[in-house]
Amino acid sequence: MGTHAELVIRLREFAAARNWDQFHSPKNLTMALAGEVGELVAELQWLSDSEIEAGLQTESPLRDAVENEMADVLIYLARLADIAGVDLYRAAEAKVERNERRYPVAQSYGSAVKYTRLPANGNP
Ligand SMILES: [Mg+2]
């Protein structure tokens, strides 16, 4: 299993070897990403939670399909971040820190209430 940096380099090489950089604009990559998220959604739609849970636990056509679409999502997200100059992990860490402030454990434990509806929340 490689690192994220190795994946980014491999995607750069993949695109450069095919002269595809010209197609990898932020807009195009965002649309491709949305398309792949849609493909992931399509694999799960109409299935019950228990059917999904069973399908993901073992080697199965569902697991293969979900894995493939998750890989597509990651690939386009990684490529978009690279083209846009975004450090995905720094951005994600900042977001998690923000969410930790938005959702204090004492107010959010076991609750799915959005932070804007929590009492006495500063909404950072
Ligand atoms: Mg796909």
Side-chain angles (χ1 to χ4, degrees):
M1 183 165 68
T3 66
H4 184 77
E6 289 167 347
L7 173 64
V8 168
I9 289 167
R10 191 160 186 185
L11 295 175
R12 284 179 191 167
E13 292 170 351
F14 181 91
R18 289 161 182 78
N19 190 24
W20 284 0
D21 285 319
Q22 60 183 316
F23 306 122
H24 287 183
S25 65
K27 178 195 69 93
N28 286 350
L29 290 168
T30 300
M31 294 180 80
L33 173 60
E36 296 301 341
V37 170
E39 290 179 19
L40 177 58
V41 170
E43 293 297 335
L44 302 181
Q45 74 181 348
W46 312 126
L47 299 178
S48 68
D49 285 346
S50 56
E51 287 170 330
I52 293 169
E53 195 175 327
L56 292 179
Q57 277 180 0
T58 56
E59 283 185 31
S60 71
L62 178 65
R63 185 173 180 86
D64 288 346
V66 166
E67 223 175 86
N68 275 320
E69 300 312 338
M70 288 175 75
D72 286 339
V73 169
L74 176 61
I75 285 167
Y76 277 122
L77 183 60
R79 184 75 176 141
L80 173 61
D82 187 31
I83 293 294
V86 169
D87 181 337
L88 267 183
Y89 289 86
R90 191 184 53 75
E93 271 182 33
K95 192 70 194 222
V96 171
E97 284 168 16
R98 193 175 186 191
N99 285 338
E100 286 169 349
R101 290 194 301 276
R102 280 176 166 169
Y103 295 96
V105 173
Q107 292 175 41
S108 304
Y109 189 81
S111 167
V113 172
K114 190 174 178 180
Y115 70 94
T116 51
R117 295 184 180 272
L118 291 176
N121 191 321
N123 295 334

